[in-house]
Amino acid sequence: MRIAITGSTGLIGSALVRSLRADGHSPVRLVRRPPAAPDEVRWDPRRQEADPRALAGCEAVVHLAGAGVGDHRWTAAYKREIHDSRVHGTAALAAALASLDTPPRVFVCGSAIGYYGDTGSRRTDETAPAGTGFLPELCVDWEGAAAPAEAAGIRTAFARTGLVVARSGGAWGRLFPLFRLGLGGRLGDGSQYWSFIALHDHVAALRHLIDGDLAGPVNLTAPEPVTNREVTAAMGRVLHRPTPFPVPAVALKAALGEFAGDVLGSQRVIPRRLLASGFTFAYPGIEAAVRAA
């Protein structure tokens, strides 16, 4: 298949490109700079520009691009950047796809479990409503921007992603170096739930969304979320390092500002629809996921 991908240089996008190529598919990478390879096509999410001709002939489009949520302190300007990079890009792609005479059969649009807000210890699946705050409101706008594709009859799936366990990039890309130095520890009191997913399983789940028939929101998280305290213990066991240094909540708030509330928040999110569709996780447990990374 010919499959267009945004965010193809990121942690998840680059892994997806490798997986698709290994199976003989032809990824088309949408990039914001001038194309430097035959498989690259330029687009401009800031200006909401996506050339429909570049998407012609694609059977699937996977949209993963957006400014990193945890890359910078959440100033008003950076929150706007996070919002606009996702919403404007999604709107541009959805409009371009809807305009095609022969549109792709599926549009997999990135989203996040941030949609649900802080769920505490409550098991939460795709039937739950949106929470309140910056991230839930972002996710509502993000998913809503795909409406033109849905209205055009394109099967549209929203991949609500959890915390991806990977050697580099994402939350674990920051955790691994600290734990290797023996500086790892729980965050706050460690009772908050983390809904994780191994990178291998995340890519496999995206492939499952491309090949299957799911539409609407789909949680991309492992079957059993664990507490931050359990994550800390698993990291210590796998890396053979002590984990004696808890990070006080007040220190996180001083370092991260508003984003600390989401780091300390709890999300016990369950992939109900993914499991019901027959998807099998290779690394369902936190220790297996950490060892794989």
Side-chain angles (χ1 to χ4, degrees):
M1 291 187 290
R2 179 178 163 89
I3 300 171
I5 302 171
T6 72
S8 62
T9 60
L11 172 67
I12 297 168
S14 58
L16 177 61
V17 167
R18 290 193 299 271
S19 174
L20 291 169
R21 283 177 176 162
D23 286 341
H25 298 295
S26 300
V28 178
R29 297 182 293 152
L30 275 64
V31 297
R32 290 172 292 172
R33 51 171 172 73
D39 65 343
E40 292 183 347
V41 174
R42 193 173 190 278
W43 77 310
D44 191 340
R46 290 179 182 275
R47 296 184 179 180
Q48 301 189 54
E49 294 175 357
D51 188 350
R53 294 171 298 178
L55 301 169
C58 289
E59 292 189 47
V61 175
V62 182
H63 177 39
L64 303 172
V69 170
D71 290 357
H72 299 279
R73 195 177 182 89
W74 281 6
T75 62
Y78 193 65
K79 285 167 72 173
R80 174 56 55 187
E81 166 110 4
I82 292 171
H83 179 276
D84 290 354
S85 67
R86 285 164 170 74
V87 176
H88 292 175
T90 302
L93 277 177
L97 298 178
S99 73
L100 292 171
D101 291 334
T102 305
R105 56 181 181 77
V106 59
F107 179 32
V108 178
C109 184
S111 186
I113 61 171
Y115 178 94
Y116 306 108
D118 190 332
T119 67
S121 60
R122 183 179 72 254
R123 292 169 66 89
T124 302
D125 64 22
E126 293 89 349
T127 62
T132 58
F134 172 64
L135 286 182
E137 292 167 8
L138 165 66
C139 291
V140 169
D141 291 349
W142 191 359
E143 295 181 10
E150 294 181 288
I154 301 168
R155 178 172 64 87
T156 302
F158 300 103
R160 291 181 179 167
T161 299
L163 296 168
V164 179
V165 185
R167 187 187 325 182
S168 60
W172 257 267
R174 299 184 181 188
L175 289 179
F176 273 125
L178 290 174
F179 276 84
R180 286 194 183 99
L181 291 171
L183 301 176
R186 70 179 188 275
L187 304 180
D189 65 10
S191 65
Q192 68 271 33
Y193 276 91
W194 279 20
S195 297
F196 70 93
I197 183 169
L199 178 59
H200 172 96
D201 285 332
H202 193 286
V203 170
L206 290 175
R207 298 282 304 267
H208 186 77
L209 293 180
I210 292 170
D211 296 335
D213 57 7
L214 286 171
V218 183
N219 293 334
L220 268 57
T221 59
E224 288 298 332
V226 292
T227 64
N228 175 256
R229 188 184 296 271
E230 292 172 296
V231 169
T232 300
M235 291 285 283
R237 286 194 300 271
V238 172
L239 296 175
H240 305 292
R241 294 290 189 275
T243 56
F245 300 112
V247 182
V250 66
L252 279 173
K253 290 173 182 175
L256 302 178
E258 184 182 349
F259 182 47
D262 290 275
V263 173
L264 294 167
S266 183
Q267 291 193 302
R268 194 177 185 183
V269 177
I270 309 301
R272 180 184 63 84
R273 298 193 66 209
L274 199 57
L275 291 170
S277 70
F279 182 79
T280 301
F281 286 84
Y283 305 103
I286 184 58
E287 188 157 335
V290 171
R291 289 190 184 281

